[in-house]
């Protein structure tokens, strides 16, 4: 999947945007997710931006997200999640985020950004893949919500 946009918000993934009442279950994705957009870019191997419920799903996509003027969020599974719940999900693949505003751009092997109100149960990432932020390799620039066993 490739996206190039000049809109203020760009949502890139197999599912670009999953709303508060949205539910995704038993879905997998593979291949690559690429975006070269102008402002706020949310990109994930399965979902770009989510506030819904995701269960029993997997992504092995390589994710490459670029914001030419502002902020990029990239995750191996979901780019940005606020609220909602994840359970029994996993991710593998290389993840790269490049944003003009380095202070706020985020990438993570599983999620680029996770709010404190998000619940996560039994989710993981295969750890041998490469993570880069603005061209520099890193272990992870990922914020975590409430991770439950």
């Amino acid at each position: 999947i490739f996206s190039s946009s000049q809109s203020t918000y760009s949502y890139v993934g197999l599912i670009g945007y999953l709303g508060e009442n949205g539910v995704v279950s038993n879905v997998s994705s593979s291949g690559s997710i690429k975006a070269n957009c102008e402002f706020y870019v949310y990109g994930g191997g399965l979902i770009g931006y989510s506030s819904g419920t995701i269960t029993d799903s997997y992504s092995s996509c390589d994710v490459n997200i670029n914001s030419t003027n502002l902020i990029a969020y990239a995750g191996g599974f979901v780019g940005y999640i606020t609220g909602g719940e994840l359970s029994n999900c996993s991710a593998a693949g290389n993840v790269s985020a490049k944003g003009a505003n380095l202070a706020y751009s985020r990438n993570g092997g599983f999620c680029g950004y996770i709010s404190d109100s998000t619940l996560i149960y039994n989710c993981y990432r295969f750890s041998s893949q490469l993570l880069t932020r603005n061209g520099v390799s890193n272990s992870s620039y990922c914020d975590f919500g409430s991770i439950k066993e």
Side-chain angles (χ1 to χ4, degrees):
I1 297 173
F2 176 78
S3 176
S4 179
S5 172
Q6 293 181 339
S7 64
T8 303
Y9 298 96
S10 298
Y11 309 101
V12 186
L14 180 65
I15 300 167
Y17 185 95
L18 182 67
E20 183 177 327
N21 296 317
V23 176
V24 170
S25 185
N26 295 309
V27 176
S28 64
S29 62
S30 62
S32 64
I33 306 293
K34 295 181 182 182
N36 187 24
C37 301
E38 197 165 347
F39 296 106
Y40 293 91
V41 187
Y42 306 92
L46 189 69
I47 299 173
Y49 182 103
S50 177
S51 56
T53 300
I54 309 163
T55 62
D56 303 308
S57 296
Y58 169 79
S59 175
S60 62
C61 288
D62 288 336
V63 179
N64 185 335
I65 304 301
N66 179 42
S67 172
T68 57
N69 288 322
L70 209 49
I71 299 171
Y73 295 99
F77 190 74
V78 63
Y80 189 105
I81 186 165
T82 180
E85 184 176 309
L86 296 168
S87 63
N88 302 314
C89 297
S90 60
N94 300 317
V95 179
S96 175
K98 184 176 181 184
N101 188 330
L102 181 60
Y104 293 102
S105 294
R106 296 284 183 265
N107 76 319
F110 189 74
C111 292
Y113 176 85
I114 304 171
S115 74
D116 291 338
S117 61
T118 303
L119 298 176
I120 301 173
Y121 302 92
N122 194 35
C123 294
Y124 61 95
R125 167 179 164 71
F126 296 99
S127 63
S128 64
Q129 290 74 30
L130 178 66
L131 300 174
T132 61
R133 184 174 78 159
N134 282 32
V136 178
S137 295
N138 61 69
S139 58
S140 179
Y141 287 91
C142 185
D143 297 316
F144 289 97
S146 303
I147 299 176
K148 308 292 181 185
E149 291 188 34

